[in-house]
């Protein structure tokens, strides 16, 4: 595979298990490993610390909210009376205008007693019964969990959408890969493998080579670009270690030299190809 797609990297960033070959590729590919690390940091930031629901203050809604819920859903349970009274008192005091001071009218004293309420009548607000307990902590917990999940998904979706709309992440500082190939081991090194990417940047094109299980050479490893008939070749640079980045000539047409070749060269002073190739692949865009 060339590189992991956005969906696979997102699953790995969220802690899900991905394809075995994808996880192995990320472990070996610096580019995919860097992208996974960036997404993992984003997920960690979005999730944030765990919230202690017991420390969240209980906020009971005013009675009119529960009346609207009951009218829409048919639910007969209402908040605890003491919570309703507290909010009703606050609402009434906040909405009630300040009365102007007025003089009390002078009335003649009377011995007539004040009217008493009829049997069955109750003075003051009447509140429906409700079983003990409150839904507020449960509602707070559900809302917080849903909000955290939506935030994580929204941030990941925004990052991935931006990458798709900006030419594979070029605006995010990741140079686009214009051609790539898998490098297969040849009879001189059958267990070797690798990857070669042609990366386009503002300063030009580079050939990034990542090789595995080449072993310590008796000499050095040379990277070449070769035509399809293997009659013309251009030396690109010496591969020191498992990875190398090489600048490509500005006027070089990759369609004329699509083969990426890594050869084992002796220290004999001869700049020509030794004829012993250990890795090879054909570039495709």
């Amino acid at each position: 595979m060339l590189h992991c797609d956005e969906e696979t990297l997102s699953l790995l960033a969220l802690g899900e298990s991905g394809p075995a070959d994808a996880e192995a590729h990320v472990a070996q590919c610096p580019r995919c490993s860097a992208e996974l690390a960036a997404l993992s940091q984003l997920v960690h930031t979005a999730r944030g610390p765990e919230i202690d629901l017991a420390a969240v203050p209980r906020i009971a809604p005013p009675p009119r909210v529960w009346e609207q819920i009951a009218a829409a859903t048919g639910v007969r349970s209402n908040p605890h009376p003491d919570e309703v009274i507290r909010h009703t008192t606050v609402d009434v005091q906040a909405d009630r205008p300040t009365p102007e001071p007025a003089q009390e009218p002078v009335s003649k004293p009377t011995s007539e007693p004040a009217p008493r309420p009829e049997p069955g009548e109750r003075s003051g607000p009447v509140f429906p019964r409700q079983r003990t307990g409150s839904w507020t902590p449960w509602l707070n917990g559900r809302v917080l969990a849903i909000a955290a999940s939506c935030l994580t998904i929204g941030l990941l979706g925004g990052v991935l959408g931006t990458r798709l709309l900006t030419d594979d992440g070029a605006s995010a500082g990741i140079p686009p890969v214009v051609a790539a190939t898998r490098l297969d081991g040849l009879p001189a090194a059958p267990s070797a493998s690798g990857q070669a990417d042609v990366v386009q940047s503002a300063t030009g094109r580079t050939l990034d080579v990542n090789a595995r299980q080449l072993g310590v050479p008796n000499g050095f490893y040379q990277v070449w670009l070769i035509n399809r008939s293997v009659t013309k070749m251009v030396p690109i640079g010496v591969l020191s270690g498992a990875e190398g980045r090489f600048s490509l000539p500005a006027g070089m047409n990759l369609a004329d030299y699509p083969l990426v070749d890594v050869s084992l060269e002796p220290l004999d002073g001869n700049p020509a190809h030794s004829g012993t190739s250990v890795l090879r692949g054909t570039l495709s865009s």
Side-chain angles (χ1 to χ4, degrees), residues 145-198:
I146 293 173
S149 300
C150 291
L151 177 61
T152 302
I153 295 173
L155 289 174
L156 282 178
V159 171
L160 297 180
T162 302
R163 289 199 55 195
L164 292 176
L165 296 175
T166 54
D167 194 16
D168 197 22
S171 66
I174 304 175
V177 175
V178 297
T181 181
R182 184 181 65 184
L183 299 176
D184 297 322
L186 297 177
S191 61
S193 62
Q195 177 78 21
D197 298 325
V198 177

Side-chain angles (χ1 to χ4, degrees), residues 189-285:
S191 61
S193 62
Q195 177 78 21
D197 298 325
V198 177
V199 179
Q200 180 70 56
S201 65
T203 58
R205 295 177 302 173
T206 59
L207 178 66
D208 295 352
V209 177
N210 186 337
R212 294 181 291 275
Q213 298 183 2
L214 271 181
V216 179
N218 184 14
F220 62 95
Y221 292 116
Q222 175 75 35
V223 180
W224 308 77
L225 287 179
I226 307 176
N227 65 349
R228 293 186 183 276
S229 60
V230 196
T231 57
K232 297 180 181 180
M233 56 189 67
V234 178
I236 301 301
V238 175
L239 181 63
S240 300
E243 299 179 2
R245 171 167 290 182
F246 310 97
S247 297
L248 296 179
M252 186 173 208
N253 189 353
L254 294 179
D256 297 334
Y257 296 91
L259 300 181
V260 179
D261 181 274
V262 179
S263 66
L264 176 60
E265 300 292 334
L267 296 172
D268 57 1
N270 186 355
H273 196 292
S274 65
T276 305
S277 296
V278 293
L279 287 172
R280 184 172 294 176
T282 303
L283 290 171
S284 60
S285 24

Side-chain angles (χ1 to χ4, degrees), residues 9-151:
L9 289 176
S10 298
L11 288 175
L12 295 177
L14 290 170
E16 303 292 338
S17 59
D21 55 347
E23 296 179 0
H25 173 77
V26 170
Q28 297 292 336
C29 178
R31 179 186 174 196
C32 292
S33 178
E35 294 184 17
L36 177 60
L39 289 175
S40 299
Q41 181 63 32
L42 180 62
V43 172
H44 176 73
T45 303
R47 285 177 174 171
E50 295 183 358
I51 300 175
D52 184 8
L53 296 180
V56 177
R58 295 174 55 187
I59 303 176
R64 59 180 176 270
V65 175
W66 293 104
E67 293 171 0
Q68 295 173 358
I69 293 175
T73 63
V75 176
R76 300 305 179 189
S77 296
N78 292 294
H80 199 273
D82 61 350
E83 295 177 346
V84 177
I85 292 172
R86 181 168 61 255
H87 282 276
T88 303
T89 303
V90 173
D91 291 344
V92 170
Q93 291 177 352
D95 297 337
R96 179 183 298 166
T98 303
E100 295 292 335
Q103 296 181 353
E104 295 183 359
V106 178
S107 59
K108 296 181 180 181
T110 178
S111 60
E112 183 179 351
R116 301 181 62 184
E118 296 295 332
E121 291 185 351
R122 297 177 60 186
S123 59
V126 179
F127 302 102
R129 294 181 177 270
Q130 184 222 6
R131 64 176 180 269
T132 58
S134 175
W135 291 357
T136 304
W138 180 84
L139 289 174
N140 287 340
R142 297 289 293 180
V143 170
L144 291 174
I146 293 173
S149 300
C150 291
L151 177 61

